[in-house]
Amino acid sequence: MADRSLESVSLPLEVRARLAELELELSEGDITQKGYEKKRSKLIGAYLPQPPAANGAAAVRCRLQHSEGAARRMLRTANIGVCDIREAAARERAASTAGNRPLFYFRFGVDQALPQERRTPVTPSSSSRYHRRRSSGSRDERYRSDVHTEAVQAALAKHKERKMAVPMPSKRRSLVVQTSMDAYTPPDTSSGSEDEGSVQGDSQGTPTSSQGSINMEHWISQAIHGSTTSTTSSSSTQSGGSGAAHRLADVMAQTHIENHSAPPDVTTYTSEHSIQVERPQGSTARVAPKYGNAELMETGDGVPVSSRVSAKIQQLVNTLKRPKRPPLREFFVDDFEELLEVQQPDPNQPKPEGAQMLAMRGEQLGVVTNWPPSLEAALQRWGTISPKAPCLTTMDTNGKPLYILTYGKLWTRSMKVAYNILHKLGTKQEPMVRPGDRVTLVFPNNDPAAFMVAFYGCLLAEVVPVPIEVPLTRKDAGSQQIGFLLGSCGVTVALTSDACHKGLPKSPTGEIPQFKGWPKLLWFVTESKHLSKPPRDWFPHIKDANNDTAYIEYKTCKDGSVLGVTVTRIALLTHCQALTQACGYTEAETIVNVLDFKKDVGLWHGILTSVMNMMHVISIPYSLMKVNPLSWIQKVCQYKAKVACVKSRDMHWALVAHRDQRDINLSSLRMLIVADGANPWSISSCDAFLNVFQSKGLRQEVICPCASSPEALTVAIRRPTDDSNQPPGRGVLSMHGLTYGVIRVDSEEKLSVLTVQDVGLVMPGAIMCSVKPDGIPQLCKTDEIGELCVCAIATGTSYYGLSGMTKNTFEVFPMTSSGGPITEYPFIRTGLLGFIGPGGLVFVIGKMDGLMVVSGRRHNADDIVATALAVEPMKFVYRGRIAVFSVSVLHDERIVIVAEQRPDSTEEDSFQWMSRVLQAIDSIHQVGVYCLALVPANTLPKTPLGGIHLSETKQLFLEGSLHPCNVLMCPHTCVTNLPKPRQKQPEIGPASVMVGNLVSGKRIAQASGRDLGQIEDNDQARKFLFLSEVLQWRAQTTPDHVLYTLLNCRGTIANSLTCVQLHKRAEKIAVMLMERGHLQDGDHVALVYPPGIDLIAAFYGCLYAGCVPITVRPPHPQNIATTLPTVKMIVEVSRSACLMTTQLICKLLRSREAAAAVDVRTWPPVLDTDDLPKKRPAQIYKPSNPETLAYLDFSVSTTGMLAGVKMSHAATSAFCRSIKLQCELYPSREVAICLDPYCGLGFVLWCLCSVYSGHQSILIPPSELETNPALWLLAVSQYKVRDTFCSYSVMELCTKGLGSQTESLKARGLDLSRVRTCVVVAEERPRIALTQSFSKLFKDLGLHPRAVSTSLGCRVNLAICLQGTSGPDPTTVYVDMRALRHDRVRLVERGSPHSLPLMESGKILPGVRIIIANPETKGPLGDSHLGEIWVHSTHNASGYFTIYGDESLQSDHFNSRLSFGDTQTIWARTGYLGFLRRTELTDANGERHDALYVVGALDEAMELRGMRYHPIDIETSVIRAHKSITEW
């Protein structure tokens, strides 16, 4: 059935091509059946015929079909469904007069059901009460509504009853709590399309229990499979699949594919052969149709053969040695949405149920004999026939007439301007302006006469005017975009007035500077005194209206870009004729215009149509309205004006000030045009204005809202009528339904309702319809909200210079449900959202520019603004200046509200108001607000007329330049599509273990360094078990060999130690410990020394005495309050019986500052080693067992945890030997060390390795680099060191401090070309950005980039990896960050989206074995998994040293075993997440090199919704966000 329906629908070529690709992907196994069906349903869902709706909705649908006959009245001439509005309106009036209320969604009039005499009259007292209540606010009156204000207060009261707390920042526990994976696994029948709803099969509209919620995907799947009921029977599956395969094989055998490079069009197979392939979930065997050239290769005699296996193997072989390269489209399509929660459509959401709407035709445009053939001809007629007739009267700021422009003056001055434009700019041979060129008009809002003269002068000269606002400064908001428009239009001349020219910003030389983004302009003043008089024989060529461009009106888009809408001369004339007919304009009528005369309704009525009908325009400037809001009403009374053009804000201002004026009579008004009547919130101002001024002669039928757009000009306008019994159309609609684009009637008692008024009928000579806002322009249903489209002559024709955008907006062909266009003529998108109601009345509920689609629901920015402004206190927002827009977060729009607060607001007032706004919006709109920001008054960017420049405000918000004074971020209330919880994949289990290193087709992630037992070396120190014995041996064999050299900040030798000097000094310290300290073997001694020789001597003195040393960083003299407590804690936790230090630090520990920080009376005995005894010990202590404790290593982790580990003598010796072999250390070598010697590998290199290996260590305290940053590198160069060790802080200090001194260092002879290895000692992920910048910076000084590497150590093993001298160079890989969050490793290429560079953490030390294990199950992992690094080595630490006796951590961290596999080996858990990769490089032993990559610490990682995030990655993103953010 679906195949036939799909065949009948003509699918576009791109859809057919995409279907063919999907079939090919399914046949080759690239996607699953479920994914195939999901994508296919998305592709063809919009082209399938809709299932019949339930009969139970018929009663609801008929409400919008106002009469049975009206639906059948169609225009036979145009052959489209267009209703005659006048007939429908007549029927409505008849029904209303007879008292029979028509059956549709809207009520006409406020009190239609009440007789006229029973209506409550408006008394002065009631009006004054209204005035007192409304005049208290100064907010933007476009959004005023008493009903809505009361609804907001009621919603907040409900919140208060529920005792809702003020939303404050809190931990998102509810979103992080791990729940069952089943709860997050979408069902197999989940729909991939949110546009299609459930299919109801019950005749009464009530679904049965078995078919209650059949989604669209399931319906399409049933149609494609040709089955009415789904089954999970394996027998039916096999039979159906085999039948489909045989039929498909027949088709493929009969079809000869000529071009093997293109996939076959699979849509042609579905018409004649029904392919039935059912795949139940329980079946693993997949019978799928095979498409594509990989399957259809022909031999020489034409016999098709299958070569897929060999091709696949060959492809695998070719790609084994490089990372998987994603398809090209994946580099440009962000597939992060696959990780997001799919928003499941609400099964109870309202859906449109009406029939397809019919396009509405306006009344026929009448032909009047005396209408001029063009607007210039009309000007000529009135200028010559009635030269003294007033055309325009301008007002000063006092409300007095400033100037009266007659039609004669307008005609002569326009001719003068036209002549000067064409003949006085440039030369006769090369004029600057020719007919058809564009010029810009720059006139202030208080000078309409000069603008009118210049505009008509351009029309007479056949030059295209481009009116813009006056630039006040060089940095006006949006001014640059205006400049781009002028540049694209090729504008070189700007017409302006004398006063405006003098007011423009000037440079010091008096010239007008070029504004940012503007082309270079010639400013031309149009005052008559500056112009030459045209010759008597010169006369403008006045032609009939044609398709030449008349003028260009600028339009600001949602994103801030400015477009130019071109209006032709025939459209200009036709629009004036349509307005004349719709408004009933006659000659010599007086019209009061408050609107901007340069664009929109103010231009169309006050400048163009008025001249066509010889009307008199009274122009009220905006400056006068601010001084006297009643001025326009006064002018209506003074001039007995018949028409007034205002906005709803002008009506409200008049309400505020009307009590100061007594003599008001509005009986002369026959038409009050409300220019922003399309804004639903203007209805409140209209009602309030009518209630107050009805007693002043204002009639209800006079108020005429209109809808307009720059593209379609006037879309609809309510006609003035003499029938006061014909009330306007009005509807109370559910906001909940509107968010789904559906019209549903509600009652005014509800909180979340929107009351809308009609904006009249379609314009004469126009056809209107509404289409779906997204996708193809398909006609809406009668109860569905869509974008209004107009087909008429009187519209704009294009966006100037933008053919692509013009096609999408000005060349729209609405489609019926059958897929055919409703007419051959194109329609124009108006940008207005609404519907056509009963009687052809047009209703507008918002604009496309203000539309925000959040979680599939549509919200209008004006509605959000109205709700926020209705929250008490209403005057909190400064002058109603508030902006609402949306930003994209996690592939969905989020609502942001920015408002200016009153200057006297406190922080408490601000947060109380913000919390109430959040509650009100949540109650009324059922949507969360992402961010609510308050800024000081008058700080948001403004438009030329004083409003908020929305796009500039949004740009400031996105750039972080908004600088709010109060912010409330509420992501937990609105971000509902967080990434999917991680679905745990089945890991390697005991049943999967096979012989060798392969597990489930993957290699076990394990590696090891060289075997210590198989390394042949001439290490004489191996015969000694203890470092103390090695020192004694070196003191005897090489007494004068220098082991240590300490440099000061000037680079000179501060101290040095030979083997015998160190031995003798250690003996004296041992004597002091035994005699003065009265210590015994096994006692703990804290060594509090600065980096230097004393620390080394004190350490070996402790070994000679049999004591256990603990190196402690001394307190900083300038920061005792924070550093001394750490020293005290380590001393206490380590149970130190004695504390050895220098005399200077000894005084510091007992100082007054130290007493303020700690209790100095509880220090253990403190020994000063500056005064040592002269004698030698009787004997040097020799441990009885190599496993006894040698020293304690204490360190504070990044999570703030103090941990001390025990190092035995055997582990210490093995540690030193492993480093010696890795770095090839021997007595003739010199190594430079710039590290802190207190813990980890830094301590071992500083104190132990030289004694064991015999090499000379050049010691450089890192603190000395603060005064001399070049000290370390100068020492490396001076001593010609080949191997050096440093920390990240030292490398960063050199990078920042020496970045601009490389040339001077080179002149001083700094040479780093001899450096073979520069190892950064750290316990973290390698900082690849820092190491690369260091390498690049000092490359000119001879440093080889491959020399820089890192190491890895941790608490359980102080050195796991260290870059050696004979191993391969360190490697860098790029991994997918999204895969890492799921503990998977996917290598990508450099520059790929979401790529993270990781540097190898050095080579694995000899005697070290590594395996990657699951931190939860403790099972081994494959090499494509991210897991915890476990280490087995002879130099592992023995365990934690703790005074609490907690053995659980001891056994878990130091004595862990795998849960399966090799369960005998004892491993130590490092607490770091990483992975292993076998590279193509070769180790020193000739085998392929295994590289270890560290991702981060397990304790630091944050697990959100099953995915793992590392702080360093978040910090990097934050640092990249803004240049002012730096690391701390």
Side-chain angles (χ1 to χ4, degrees):
M1 183 69 182
D3 294 338
R4 287 195 292 272
S5 63
L6 190 60
E7 179 189 4
S8 63
V9 176
S10 58
L11 294 176
L13 290 179
E14 59 268 22
V15 176
R16 289 179 174 272
R18 183 59 186 140
L19 285 174
E21 291 178 10
L22 283 179
E23 292 284 357
L24 184 61
E25 291 176 3
L26 178 64
S27 66
E28 292 186 356
D30 293 337
I31 60 173
T32 62
Q33 174 71 16
K34 180 182 173 185
Y36 161 76
E37 293 174 356
K38 193 170 185 179
K39 292 183 177 181
R40 189 177 190 275
S41 64
K42 281 187 176 181
L43 282 174
I44 68 176
Y47 304 98
L48 284 179
Q50 303 297 323
N55 295 333
V60 183
R61 289 199 303 268
C62 71
R63 295 181 180 180
L64 275 179
Q65 300 169 358
H66 48 83
S67 66
E68 204 172 277
R72 296 193 182 95
R73 283 193 295 273
M74 307 172 66
L75 285 179
R76 298 179 178 87
T77 58
N79 197 20
I80 59 174
V82 180
C83 287
D84 191 342
I85 294 177
R86 289 172 295 176
E87 272 191 73
R91 291 177 63 89
E92 296 301 340
R93 284 196 295 271
S96 177
T97 306
N100 298 326
R101 197 168 181 178
L103 189 62
F104 46 74
Y105 279 146
F106 312 96
R107 56 184 183 85
F108 280 72
V110 182
D111 299 316
Q112 182 183 354
L114 295 177
Q116 181 70 25
E117 59 273 14
R118 292 187 57 186
R119 296 184 183 178
T120 305
V122 180
T123 61
S125 60
S126 62
S127 63
S128 63
R129 274 200 310 274
Y130 173 84
H131 169 71
R132 283 196 299 271
R133 187 173 72 248
R134 302 303 298 173
S135 62
S136 61
S138 60
R139 54 200 172 101
D140 192 342
E141 300 309 325
R142 292 175 296 166
Y143 309 100
R144 298 183 62 257
S145 170
D146 282 342
V147 176
H148 192 62
T149 301
E150 294 171 2
V152 169
Q153 303 309 323
L156 291 175
K158 284 193 173 184
H159 268 273
K160 191 173 182 180
E161 291 173 4
R162 285 184 277 171
K163 298 183 178 179
M164 289 193 62
V166 175
M168 296 298 289
S170 62
K171 292 184 179 180
R172 294 168 51 182
R173 297 183 182 275
S174 60
L175 298 179
V176 181
V177 173
Q178 292 295 321
T179 57
S180 172
M181 287 300 127
D182 297 336
Y184 295 97
T185 304
D188 290 340
T189 58
S190 61
S191 173
S193 172
E194 296 183 2
D195 297 330
E196 302 294 336
S198 59
V199 182
Q200 296 181 350
D202 192 25
S203 59
Q204 279 77 26
T206 57
T208 61
S209 59
S210 62
Q211 296 178 343
S213 57
I214 306 176
N215 53 31
M216 194 63 194
E217 179 189 348
H218 190 66
W219 182 80
I220 294 176
S221 176
Q222 284 183 346
I224 292 175
H225 294 166
S227 167
T228 56
T229 57
S230 60
T231 177
T232 57
S233 170
S234 59
S235 60
S236 63
T237 301
Q238 294 171 1
S239 62
S242 61
H246 284 304
R247 285 192 293 274
L248 187 58
D250 295 338
V251 174
M252 296 292 287
Q254 296 171 6
T255 306
H256 183 71
I257 302 177
E258 296 292 340
N259 185 8
H260 293 283
S261 62
D265 187 0
V266 297
T267 57
T268 59
Y269 300 144
T270 59
S271 59
E272 296 180 3
H273 301 270
S274 177
I275 302 174
Q276 300 181 2
V277 182
E278 296 182 7
R279 290 196 178 93
Q281 301 174 15
S283 176
T284 58
R286 185 161 59 94
V287 181
K290 303 290 192 294
Y291 300 114
N293 54 350
E295 293 295 322
L296 220 64
M297 299 182 64
E298 294 184 357
T299 59
D301 50 2
V303 180
V305 297
S306 175
S307 63
R308 178 212 269 220
V309 175
S310 60
K312 287 291 183 182
I313 292 178
Q314 187 62 41
Q315 184 183 4
L316 181 62
V317 170
N318 293 337
T319 56
L320 273 178
K321 296 183 179 181
R322 69 171 186 265
K324 180 183 178 184
R325 182 194 295 270
L328 187 62
R329 62 176 180 270
E330 290 192 16
F331 285 100
F332 304 99
V333 179
D334 188 3
D335 55 351
F336 185 66
E337 58 265 20
E338 295 178 2
L339 300 176
L340 302 178
E341 286 282 10
V342 178
Q343 292 290 325
Q344 298 296 332
D346 184 5
N348 298 321
Q349 75 180 42
K351 299 182 178 67
E353 300 168 343
Q356 183 173 286
M357 71 158 297
L358 300 175
M360 287 292 175
R361 178 184 291 273
E363 60 195 86
Q364 186 175 359
L365 184 60
V367 178
V368 182
T369 55
N370 63 344
W371 274 357
S374 66
L375 204 58
E376 305 94 288
L379 175 59
Q380 181 188 13
R381 176 197 297 178
W382 306 130
T384 54
I385 296 177
S386 305
K388 294 186 178 181
C391 173
L392 178 70
T393 300
T394 60
M395 298 290 168
D396 60 12
T397 54
N398 296 321
K400 296 180 180 180
L402 182 65
Y403 182 78
I404 299 177
L405 179 68
T406 63
Y407 278 94
K409 291 179 181 178
L410 176 61
W411 167 243
T412 56
R413 292 181 183 179
S414 299
M415 286 179 56
K416 201 173 187 180
V417 169
Y419 173 78
N420 281 265
I421 289 176
L422 294 177
H423 298 89
K424 296 301 180 181
L425 295 178
T427 62
K428 290 185 177 180
Q429 291 76 19
E430 291 292 333
M432 286 189 64
V433 180
R434 290 186 172 91
D437 289 349
R438 275 75 53 198
V439 298
T440 184
L441 306 187
V442 185
F443 291 89
N445 292 318
N446 59 357
D447 197 356
F451 173 83
M452 199 170 191
V453 169
F455 189 92
Y456 280 99
C458 292
L459 292 183
L460 292 175
E462 299 183 42
V463 174
V464 180
V466 186
I468 63 170
E469 305 296 340
V470 178
L472 301 179
T473 65
R474 296 189 63 186
K475 297 181 179 180
D476 279 356
S479 174
Q480 186 173 3
Q481 297 294 333
I482 291 287
F484 291 159
L485 172 64
L486 298 181
S488 64
C489 291
V491 173
T492 57
V493 175
L495 306 185
T496 187
S497 64
D498 196 11
C500 181
H501 186 266
K502 292 178 181 178
L504 290 174
K506 302 286 194 308
S507 63
T509 59
E511 297 179 354
I512 298 176
Q514 185 173 351
F515 297 98
K516 185 178 180 182
W518 284 41
K520 191 172 182 179
L521 297 177
L522 172 66
W523 294 86
F524 185 71
V525 178
T526 59
E527 257 76 5
S528 293
K529 60 182 179 181
H530 299 288
L531 303 180
S532 301
K533 192 174 182 180
R536 292 180 178 271
D537 57 346
W538 186 88
F539 197 78
H541 180 54
I542 298 178
K543 300 184 295 187
D544 291 349
N546 53 21
N547 286 323
D548 294 341
T549 301
Y551 70 96
I552 297 177
E553 181 174 316
Y554 81 89
K555 171 205 174 181
T556 303
C557 298
K558 186 177 182 179
D559 59 356
S561 60
V562 175
L563 308 177
V565 180
T566 61
V567 180
T568 63
R569 292 174 179 265
I570 187 65
L572 172 64
L573 180 66
T574 308
H575 187 220
C576 292
Q577 294 172 351
L579 287 179
T580 300
Q581 178 173 329
C583 301
Y585 287 146
T586 58
E587 295 179 11
E589 272 193 325
T590 303
I591 177 174
V592 174
N593 182 29
V594 192
L595 307 175
D596 182 10
F597 51 79
K598 295 188 291 295
K599 58 186 300 189
D600 294 334
V601 181
L603 173 66
W604 304 331
H605 289 263
I607 302 294
L608 304 179
T609 309
S610 61
V611 170
M612 177 180 166
N613 295 282
M614 203 187 74
M615 300 170 66
H616 182 198
V617 179
I618 312 296
S619 183
I620 309 294
Y622 184 70
S623 55
L624 175 58
M625 286 294 295
K626 290 196 293 186
V627 176
N628 181 12
L630 263 183
S631 56
W632 70 273
I633 294 183
Q634 294 170 353
K635 300 310 170 189
V636 168
C637 301
Q638 178 181 348
Y639 289 92
K640 300 290 189 293
K642 297 290 186 66
V643 182
C645 296
V646 298
K647 283 190 175 182
S648 56
R649 69 159 185 228
D650 307 320
M651 302 169 72
H652 170 72
W653 286 354
L655 285 174
V656 174
H658 84 281
R659 61 178 177 179
D660 301 328
Q661 186 74 22
R662 297 183 180 275
D663 302 328
I664 294 179
N665 185 3
L666 300 180
S667 59
S668 64
L669 268 184
R670 67 174 184 82
M671 192 174 190
L672 180 59
I673 301 175
V674 185
D676 59 345
N679 188 331
W681 300 100
S682 64
I683 187 174
S684 180
S685 295
C686 293
D687 289 346
F689 189 82
L690 178 63
N691 287 338
V692 171
F693 288 98
Q694 202 166 14
S695 60
K696 308 289 186 180
L698 181 68
R699 302 186 302 278
Q700 177 183 354
E701 61 275 8
V702 167
I703 298 179
C704 299
C706 73
S708 62
S709 74
E711 294 85 359
L713 307 185
T714 303
V715 177
I717 188 169
R718 190 185 293 173
R719 309 315 196 244
T721 176
D722 296 331
D723 186 6
S724 60
N725 295 323
Q726 174 61 26
R730 183 164 302 191
V732 181
L733 307 179
S734 166
M735 280 192 181
H736 180 72
L738 292 178
T739 59
Y740 291 103
V742 177
I743 304 168
R744 290 293 180 266
V745 169
D746 217 325
S747 60
E748 289 188 345
E749 291 76 21
K750 296 290 185 67
L751 299 180
S752 56
V753 294
L754 179 67
T755 304
V756 293
Q757 63 178 348
D758 74 282
V759 291
L761 303 174
V762 183
M763 290 295 290
I767 303 174
M768 180 185 292
C769 66
S770 66
V771 299
K772 296 182 184 296
D774 305 319
I776 60 174
Q778 189 173 358
L779 283 178
C780 294
K781 296 183 179 180
T782 52
D783 60 342
E784 188 175 7
I785 299 294
E787 183 178 8
L788 299 179
C789 294
V790 172
C791 176
I793 299 176
T795 60
T797 55
S798 67
Y799 292 129
Y800 187 86
L802 301 172
S803 57
M805 296 184 66
T806 295
K807 187 175 182 61
N808 294 334
T809 303
F810 294 88
E811 300 176 17
V812 179
F813 292 90
M815 312 289 285
T816 62
S817 57
S818 61
I822 66 172
T823 178
E824 58 181 337
Y825 301 107
F827 279 67
I828 296 174
R829 293 183 181 270
T830 63
L832 301 176
L833 290 171
F835 59 95
I836 301 175
L841 296 177
V842 180
F843 292 83
V844 178
I845 59 100
K847 295 183 178 181
M848 288 292 294
D849 282 348
L851 191 64
M852 301 177 294
V853 182
V854 182
S855 300
R857 296 174 59 205
R858 305 173 190 168
H859 300 274
N860 200 287
D862 288 343
D863 300 342
I864 305 293
V865 169
T867 301
L869 289 177
V871 173
E872 292 286 353
M874 296 181 189
K875 293 176 65 177
F876 178 83
V877 179
Y878 180 71
R879 294 186 176 178
R881 293 178 55 80
I882 186 170
V884 173
F885 51 86
S886 62
V887 295
S888 180
V889 179
L890 283 182
H891 295 275
D892 200 358
E893 292 187 50
R894 317 292 177 188
I895 297 177
V896 177
I897 302 177
V898 181
E900 292 183 0
Q901 67 178 23
R902 289 181 310 177
D904 57 343
S905 300
T906 63
E907 185 175 350
E908 183 179 356
D909 294 339
S910 301
F911 278 95
Q912 185 175 4
W913 181 84
M914 287 193 291
S915 64
R916 293 172 65 85
V917 168
L918 296 179
Q919 294 170 6
I921 293 176
D922 179 66
S923 294
I924 293 177
H925 302 277
Q926 291 87 46
V927 67
V929 176
Y930 178 70
C931 177
L932 181 52
L934 297 178
V935 298
N938 285 321
T939 55
L940 291 179
K942 298 180 180 180
T943 61
L945 293 180
I948 295 179
H949 201 288
L950 193 62
S951 60
E952 292 281 338
T953 303
K954 180 177 179 178
Q955 189 63 30
L956 291 177
F957 176 83
L958 294 176
E959 293 174 353
S961 306
L962 197 59
H963 306 303
C965 50
N966 292 298
V967 180
L968 195 56
M969 298 287 293
C970 310
H972 54 284
T973 64
C974 65
V975 181
T976 56
N977 63 330
L978 288 173
K980 291 180 181 177
R982 175 184 167 201
Q983 299 185 11
K984 302 288 185 180
Q985 301 294 329
E987 304 292 352
I988 299 171
S992 302
V993 175
M994 299 170 61
V995 179
N997 283 343
L998 293 181
V999 177
S1000 297
K1002 299 174 183 177
R1003 186 178 151 290
I1004 287 183
Q1006 62 180 1
S1008 61
R1010 291 180 289 170
D1011 191 351
L1012 286 173
Q1014 297 179 358
I1015 300 177
E1016 296 292 337
D1017 60 343
N1018 298 322
D1019 189 1
Q1020 298 296 323
R1022 286 186 60 188
K1023 58 186 178 182
F1024 303 106
L1025 295 177
F1026 310 103
L1027 273 179
S1028 56
E1029 293 180 329
V1030 175
L1031 178 56
Q1032 297 173 54
W1033 170 67
R1034 293 198 180 278
Q1036 293 175 0
T1037 56
T1038 55
D1040 297 327
H1041 176 66
V1042 178
L1043 289 178
Y1044 298 101
T1045 300
L1046 180 68
L1047 302 182
N1048 58 20
C1049 63
R1050 293 184 298 275
T1052 58
I1053 298 177
N1055 205 344
S1056 64
L1057 271 181
T1058 63
C1059 296
V1060 69
Q1061 288 174 340
L1062 178 58
H1063 169 66
K1064 291 182 177 180
R1065 192 165 183 182
E1067 286 183 328
K1068 294 177 182 180
I1069 292 176
V1071 171
M1072 185 181 69
L1073 286 173
M1074 289 183 288
E1075 293 184 355
R1076 297 183 188 175
H1078 308 289
L1079 300 182
Q1080 299 178 355
D1081 56 328
D1083 286 344
H1084 296 180
V1085 178
L1087 310 181
V1088 186
Y1089 289 93
I1093 300 297
D1094 293 337
L1095 176 65
I1096 302 171
F1099 177 82
Y1100 286 99
C1102 290
L1103 295 186
Y1104 281 9
C1107 298
V1108 179
I1110 302 103
T1111 54
V1112 183
R1113 185 191 303 270
H1116 198 284
Q1118 278 78 39
N1119 197 8
I1120 293 181
T1122 57
T1123 56
L1124 188 60
T1126 304
V1127 176
K1128 185 72 180 299
M1129 181 171 60
I1130 295 177
V1131 170
E1132 292 177 350
V1133 171
S1134 62
R1135 299 180 189 173
S1136 297
C1138 177
L1139 188 150
M1140 282 203 302
T1141 184
T1142 62
Q1143 185 177 3
L1144 185 64
I1145 297 178
C1146 184
K1147 293 180 180 178
L1148 187 64
L1149 294 178
R1150 293 189 172 94
S1151 65
R1152 183 179 302 174
E1153 293 83 0
V1158 299
D1159 187 1
V1160 297
R1161 295 172 298 178
T1162 58
W1163 286 113
V1166 179
L1167 299 181
D1168 178 9
T1169 54
D1170 288 347
D1171 183 19
L1172 294 176
K1174 304 291 185 182
K1175 61 180 182 177
R1176 298 172 56 186
Q1179 65 176 5
I1180 296 176
Y1181 175 78
K1182 181 178 180 180
S1184 58
N1185 187 353
E1187 299 301 326
T1188 56
L1189 192 58
Y1191 71 95
L1192 294 178
D1193 189 298
F1194 272 87
S1195 173
V1196 179
S1197 68
T1198 54
T1199 56
M1201 181 184 187
L1202 178 65
V1205 294
K1206 298 181 288 186
M1207 290 294 292
S1208 66
H1209 288 279
T1212 304
S1213 299
F1215 196 177
C1216 293
R1217 181 166 183 258
S1218 182
I1219 295 176
K1220 175 183 181 298
L1221 295 174
Q1222 187 82 337
C1223 299
E1224 297 181 1
L1225 301 176
Y1226 39 86
S1228 61
R1229 295 281 302 279
E1230 292 178 340
V1231 175
I1233 301 172
C1234 189
L1235 293 167
D1236 281 330
Y1238 300 109
C1239 62
L1241 184 56
F1243 164 74
V1244 174
L1245 292 171
W1246 189 283
C1247 295
L1248 308 184
C1249 285
S1250 282
V1251 171
Y1252 187 89
S1253 304
H1255 64 275
Q1256 180 183 356
S1257 293
I1258 301 171
L1259 307 178
I1260 306 163
S1263 57
E1264 302 290 352
L1265 267 68
E1266 296 179 2
T1267 55
N1268 184 9
L1271 173 62
W1272 169 50
L1273 296 180
L1274 287 172
V1276 169
S1277 175
Q1278 177 184 350
Y1279 290 93
K1280 301 178 181 179
V1281 171
R1282 301 202 65 191
D1283 302 290
T1284 182
F1285 298 87
C1286 69
S1287 63
Y1288 279 122
S1289 59
V1290 170
M1291 184 171 282
E1292 188 173 15
L1293 187 63
C1294 291
T1295 304
K1296 293 181 178 179
L1298 305 177
S1300 59
Q1301 303 179 24
T1302 52
E1303 292 299 327
S1304 61
L1305 292 174
K1306 196 172 186 179
R1308 292 169 62 181
L1310 183 63
D1311 183 17
L1312 302 177
S1313 60
R1314 297 182 181 86
V1315 176
R1316 178 173 56 178
T1317 58
C1318 175
V1319 181
V1320 185
V1321 176
E1323 298 183 1
E1324 58 179 294
R1325 179 202 298 180
R1327 302 184 192 176
I1328 189 169
L1330 179 59
T1331 56
Q1332 287 180 349
S1333 61
F1334 179 82
S1335 301
K1336 291 178 181 178
L1337 180 62
F1338 297 105
K1339 180 181 179 181
D1340 294 339
L1341 299 178
L1343 180 65
H1344 199 285
R1346 292 180 296 180
V1348 181
S1349 61
T1350 63
S1351 66
L1352 174 64
C1354 61
R1355 290 287 76 202
V1356 299
N1357 189 305
L1358 303 183
I1360 301 171
C1361 298
L1362 182 65
Q1363 184 67 29
T1365 55
S1366 59
D1369 294 328
T1371 58
T1372 300
V1373 297
Y1374 293 85
V1375 297
D1376 191 341
M1377 293 183 66
R1378 298 164 302 176
L1380 281 183
R1381 295 172 193 157
H1382 292 268
D1383 293 343
R1384 297 292 183 273
V1385 178
R1386 178 194 178 203
L1387 295 188
V1388 295
E1389 295 189 357
R1390 181 179 181 180
S1392 300
H1394 312 289
S1395 60
L1396 173 69
L1398 291 178
M1399 184 178 177
E1400 179 185 356
S1401 296
K1403 305 300 177 290
I1404 301 175
L1405 283 171
V1408 175
R1409 289 176 56 194
I1410 289 174
I1411 193 168
I1412 306 298
N1414 189 315
E1416 298 169 359
T1417 63
K1418 298 185 179 181
L1421 294 175
D1423 56 3
S1424 62
H1425 289 66
L1426 179 71
E1428 186 180 9
I1429 303 171
W1430 287 18
V1431 59
H1432 172 78
S1433 171
T1434 53
H1435 63 259
N1436 277 3
S1438 306
Y1440 289 123
F1441 181 82
T1442 173
I1443 59 177
Y1444 304 110
D1446 188 1
E1447 298 298 331
S1448 60
L1449 287 178
Q1450 177 88 8
S1451 60
D1452 186 46
H1453 287 192
F1454 292 90
N1455 302 307
S1456 288
R1457 299 175 188 266
L1458 294 173
S1459 57
F1460 56 87
D1462 180 10
T1463 58
Q1464 301 303 317
T1465 304
I1466 296 178
W1467 302 86
R1469 303 180 59 174
T1470 64
Y1472 284 89
L1473 293 171
F1475 61 93
L1476 282 166
R1477 277 285 166 179
R1478 175 153 287 183
T1479 66
E1480 296 295 325
L1481 304 176
T1482 304
D1483 267 331
N1485 54 6
E1487 297 181 358
R1488 288 177 62 184
H1489 171 62
D1490 290 313
L1492 176 66
Y1493 300 92
V1494 178
V1495 176
L1498 187 61
D1499 289 340
E1500 294 180 7
M1502 300 171 290
E1503 191 166 339
L1504 300 176
R1505 300 171 66 83
M1507 290 180 287
R1508 219 183 292 273
Y1509 296 86
H1510 298 274
I1512 182 65
D1513 298 326
I1514 300 175
E1515 291 171 8
T1516 303
S1517 300
V1518 172
I1519 291 173
R1520 289 177 178 174
H1522 199 276
K1523 61 182 180 180
S1524 300
I1525 302 175
T1526 57
E1527 293 186 53
W1528 180 66

